[in-house]
């Protein structure tokens, strides 16, 4: 392995510029990023670059895009110290979650970053995010192992576990939060790694395994006062639907109306999966606390603990792609697969 990091540019604000005719931000040619950040040539390691074609606004991310990213990493895994992915912020937490489940036995850093202001702007946050991410991706501990062996998001001085992260602000430079898991590292005058929070492989040298069959037969239902029977019924009777992420109140509570519970029971008794996660940004589902939570358990609903919506969706895509039998998926949903659940 050579002393180099692979920088994968997919699009997003970080590499955008204003179209003078429409005044809208549009992706520009990646070579211009190197012009904007000459510092890239000053590292003690090399930076190779790959650019997606076409570049995308991350609102257009689809599961096939995750497969392409995972394959790029797999194909070049042995050649690089680590990988930095420049990605739009809008769906960055979804992509980071998906990659965390798709890349099993990962032992190298895969760091997604982006920016709130294009890299060509004077006040951009893109330069620091990019430079810091590259440094984190190349860093090695005194034994020569990477400090970071997982899929992360780096933004505004903090390194987050990717599948614990959610986009929090549409305008602040500090755009991401990891409400239920500590930062993996803080970047100031020094880089401070949080060794308690960072994942370490039990044994080094396991081969990287890729899970690229994703099954997207998933719906998300957010409960709200006034959720109608008709709406729930139309979602649950969608053709081919295998799983529903149910975003509930507080510690996993939902309406106790008989029609609501029987709609869920009917779906789970047909083999459908209902994964209970909370609408609260912090804290966890606990279906043993309140009678309403307990009724969900009796309706066959599975506990998603403190998983983010992004992680819940991505985990389902990967597990449903791996197992045709929903029972096995249901068991795995309640167990941490990639550090996504406390
Ligand atoms: N719409 C952009 C994207 O997600 C926003 C950003 O990059 O921050 O691609």
């Amino acid at each position: 392995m050579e002393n180099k990091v692979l920088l994968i540019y997919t699009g997003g604000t970080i590499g955008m510029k204003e179209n003078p005719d429409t005044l809208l931000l549009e992706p520009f040619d990646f070579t211009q990023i190197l012009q904007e950040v000459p510092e890239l040539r000053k590292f003690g390691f090399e930076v190779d670059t790959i650019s997606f074609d076409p570049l995308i606004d991350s609102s257009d991310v689809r599961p096939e895009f995750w497969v392409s990213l995972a394959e790029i990493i797999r194909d070049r895994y042995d050649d690089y110290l680590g990988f930095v992915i420049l990605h739009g912020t809008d769906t960055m937490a979804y992509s980071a979650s998906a990659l965390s489940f798709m890349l099993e036995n990962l032992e190298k850093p895969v760091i997604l970053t982006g920016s709130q202001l294009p890299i060509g702007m004077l006040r951009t946050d893109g330069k620091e995010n990019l430079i810091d991410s590259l440094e984190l991706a190349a860093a090695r501990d005194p034994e020569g192992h990477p400090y970071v062996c997982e899929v992360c998001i780096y933004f505004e001085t903090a390194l987050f576990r990717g599948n614990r992260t959610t986009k929090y602000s549409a305008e602040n430079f500090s755009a991401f939060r990891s409400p239920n898991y500590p930062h993996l590292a803080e970047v100031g005058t020094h880089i401070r790694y949080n060794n308690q929070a960072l994942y370490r492989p039990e044994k080094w040298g396991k081969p990287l395994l890729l899970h690229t069959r994703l099954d997207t037969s998933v719906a998300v239902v957010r409960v709200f006062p006034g959720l109608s029977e008709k709406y729930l019924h139309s979602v649950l009777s969608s053709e081919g639907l295998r799983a529903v992420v149910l975003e509930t109140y507080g510690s996993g509570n939902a309406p106790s109306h008989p029609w609501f519970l029987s709609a869920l029971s009917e779906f789970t008794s047909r083999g459908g999966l209902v994964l209970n996660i909370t609408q609260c940004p912090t804290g966890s589902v606990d279906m043993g606390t309140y009678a309403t939570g307990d009724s969900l358990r009796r309706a066959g609903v599975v506990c998603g603990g403190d998983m983010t919506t992004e992680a819940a969706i991505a985990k389902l895509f990967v597990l449903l792609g791996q197992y045709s039998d929903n029972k096995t998926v249901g068991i795995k949903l309640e167990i941490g697969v990639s550090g996504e659940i406390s």
Side-chain angles (χ1 to χ4, degrees), residues 73 83-87 92-93 95-100 103 106 108-114 133 136-137 147-155 158-165 176 181-185 193 197-199 338:
I73 292 166
F83 302 84
V84 173
I85 301 171
L86 296 181
H87 191 294
M92 193 185 288
S95 295
S97 297
L99 289 172
S100 78
L103 301 168
L106 185 68
K108 289 187 178 184
V110 172
I111 301 176
L112 289 92
T113 194
S133 298
L136 287 160
Y147 284 103
V148 179
C149 307
E150 52 188 298
V151 179
C152 304
I153 288 181
Y154 179 77
F155 228 84
L159 185 71
F160 306 98
R161 174 163 293 167
N163 58 29
R164 293 297 197 130
T165 310
F176 288 88
Y181 200 74
H183 296 175
L184 302 180
Y193 292 98
L198 280 158
Y199 164 75
S338 190

Side-chain angles (χ1 to χ4, degrees), residues 11-14 16 56-60 87-92 114-117 155 167:
T13 296
I14 190 159
M16 289 197 177
I56 54 168
D57 183 293
S58 79
S59 320
D60 286 327
H87 191 294
T89 57
D90 290 342
T91 58
M92 193 185 288
S115 67
Q116 294 284 56
L117 283 178
F155 228 84
K167 185 169 178 184

Side-chain angles (χ1 to χ4, degrees), residues 277-330:
I277 60 169
T278 174
Q279 295 175 15
C280 295
T282 68
S284 180
V285 165
D286 171 2
M287 296 200 287
T289 308
Y290 294 95
T292 50
D294 184 55
S295 326
L296 290 178
R297 170 69 77 196
R298 282 187 277 115
V301 173
V302 171
C303 179
D306 59 357
M307 257 190 284
T308 61
T309 302
E310 294 89 328
I313 293 171
K315 186 173 177 180
L316 273 165
F317 282 8
V318 175
L319 289 179
L320 293 174
Q322 258 180 291
Y323 305 98
S324 52
D325 142 46
N326 274 13
K327 237 191 181 142
T328 310
V329 176

